[in-house]
Amino acid sequence: MAQGDSPELTRLYEDFEAENLIPLWTRIDDLMPTHPRPAAVAHVWRWSTLHPLARRAGDLVPVGRGGERRAIALANPGLPGRPYISPTLWAAIQYLGPKEAAPEHRHAQNAFRFVVEGEGVWTVVDGDPVRMSRGDFLLTPGWRFHGHHNETDRPMAWIDGLDIPLTHYVDAGFFEFGSERVTDRATPDFSRSERLWCHPGLRPLSGLRDTVSSPIGAYRWEHTDAALTQQLLLEEEGHPATVEQGHAAVRYTNPTTGGDVMPTIRAEFHRLRAGTELPVRREVGSSVFQVFEGSGRAVLNGQEHQLTKGDLFVVPSWVSWTLRADEQFDLFRFSDAPVMERLHFDRTHFERTHSEGDQR
């Protein structure tokens, strides 16, 4: 209601409210803005702060049935009360102590793990033990039983990424407890899924059916590193290989379709040569970055942040961002891009000072 409304109009609005009705003309700016206006904000979490807090949790909080995981969610300051890094994505640091095991469970939500440092943990996905090592990207697609076990005398921490907020908002979540202990405590160097699928350009004839999520349990750092190194070497030799000058990047893919590893999450790895600065851009959808190695700066909504190994930051929808590398700068990135593209909501706008911005 607005001051000056007639008694009849005031009564109409009161009757709307009594019947749980809201007229569009009073809310159109909120419902149909001229561009995305996210409640989530760009934010940086420091590994130097996160890791000690996770270690303290390791000393005080047991792993087992009930809490299930010692996972600490990164909560976006613009989404108070919610353990979400963005409206569609969850990110957490998970910590497993020496000789500990996290019990098995499964859920509809898609999940992955990325290891910025440490060795000695195996995640067991549907009975397949998968080694977790520095730089590895590991998948747990929806509705797969999974648990973790640490075979060393040292703790280990990594980041988890899931589509928990999206699954929550569309009321699609399911959860089921599994074994109290992991179903296979073997510690092979390579999982069965890798032995079957990870041979360049070769697809097993026993796996010709396309799958919604990638059948590969682990994407190993040595392959990621080699691919990025070769892109920059080819660029030096004058061949088109990088996405931008000084910017090598790869996308983790599902070998059965060539598409994203999971239906709701895209994962990439980016390497910037020292001195490289990316064009400022805005994108529909949320992205989360973690610095794997090196140092540089992220400019988020015009604010500059110095970044070092392990630091994480979120870029909400339509927030401007760019990266600048002080030295070779390696970053892991995940996003909700598959959802935005499938719904045809995806849009990118580049802001350039030397030429007119473009949009695609």
Side-chain angles (χ1 to χ4, degrees), residues 29-291:
D29 287 345
D30 294 332
L31 297 173
M32 297 183 181
T34 55
H35 57 79
R37 295 172 183 162
V41 297
H43 191 75
V44 175
W45 289 263
R46 303 293 179 186
W47 189 249
S48 59
T49 301
L50 289 175
H51 197 264
L53 286 171
R55 187 167 56 245
R56 286 168 59 190
D59 294 336
L60 298 171
V61 180
V63 169
R65 283 290 180 239
E68 288 294 295
R69 300 289 187 263
R70 193 184 291 110
I72 306 156
L74 279 59
N76 192 293
L79 305 172
R82 293 289 188 181
Y84 304 156
I85 200 166
S86 86
T88 53
L89 299 172
W90 159 287
I93 178 172
Q94 186 169 165
Y95 190 90
L96 199 63
K99 304 298 184 181
E100 278 190 329
E104 294 192 349
H105 63 215
R106 65 178 177 177
H107 40 70
Q109 295 85 349
N110 295 288
F112 72 81
R113 303 166 217 297
F114 181 74
V115 185
V116 72
E117 62 184 23
E119 307 280 339
V121 169
W122 273 257
T123 182
V124 182
V125 181
D126 273 351
D128 188 8
V130 186
R131 171 176 54 88
M132 297 176 62
S133 301
R134 172 169 159 75
D136 292 347
F137 171 63
L138 307 110
L139 293 187
T140 310
W143 214 236
R144 309 280 181 88
F145 279 113
H146 56 283
H148 320 302
H149 61 102
N150 187 345
E151 294 301 314
T152 73
D153 295 322
R154 301 175 304 279
M156 183 171 161
W158 60 87
I159 66 163
D160 290 339
L162 294 91
D163 54 9
I164 289 176
L166 177 66
T167 308
H168 172 76
Y169 286 129
V170 298
D171 289 325
F174 292 87
F175 181 92
E176 183 179 341
F177 292 115
S179 170
E180 291 281 347
R181 297 188 174 128
V182 293
T183 51
D184 191 332
R185 289 199 72 112
T187 57
D189 286 340
F190 299 101
S191 61
R192 294 191 294 273
S193 68
E194 293 171 82
R195 291 166 60 194
L196 182 62
W197 283 97
C198 293
H199 306 284
L202 301 174
R203 181 169 179 173
L205 290 183
S206 59
L208 293 182
R209 182 177 61 86
D210 288 353
T211 56
V212 172
S213 296
S214 172
I216 298 174
Y219 294 74
R220 298 297 176 189
W221 169 243
E222 53 264 34
H223 303 305
T224 306
D225 182 39
L228 296 164
T229 298
Q230 292 304 319
Q231 284 187 23
L232 289 174
L233 287 173
L234 285 166
E235 180 187 83
E236 287 179 7
E237 296 164 13
H239 302 292
T242 53
V243 288
E244 297 161 311
Q245 188 68 27
H247 177 195
V250 293
R251 181 174 298 168
Y252 301 95
T253 61
N254 177 349
T256 74
T257 63
D260 288 293
V261 288
M262 293 185 289
T264 54
I265 295 175
R266 173 166 296 166
E268 298 174 341
F269 202 100
H270 297 255
R271 172 171 292 170
L272 276 61
R273 198 191 301 275
T276 298
E277 180 174 350
L278 303 186
V280 180
R281 66 197 74 192
R282 299 174 187 266
E283 299 164 315
V284 169
S286 306
S287 287
V288 179
F289 292 79
Q290 183 174 35
V291 179

Side-chain angles (χ1 to χ4, degrees), residues 11-41:
R11 178 60 186 273
L12 176 64
Y13 288 146
E14 290 172 349
D15 290 345
F16 282 160
E17 186 175 357
E19 296 299 326
N20 296 302
L21 301 170
I22 298 175
L24 173 64
W25 58 86
T26 66
R27 299 291 295 274
I28 192 165
D29 287 345
D30 294 332
L31 297 173
M32 297 183 181
T34 55
H35 57 79
R37 295 172 183 162
V41 297

Side-chain angles (χ1 to χ4, degrees), residues 338-351:
V339 177
M340 298 304 158
E341 291 177 2
R342 219 166 261 117
L343 296 174
H344 299 284
F345 288 155
D346 55 304
R347 183 177 297 196
T348 302
H349 176 75
F350 289 93
E351 301 174 5

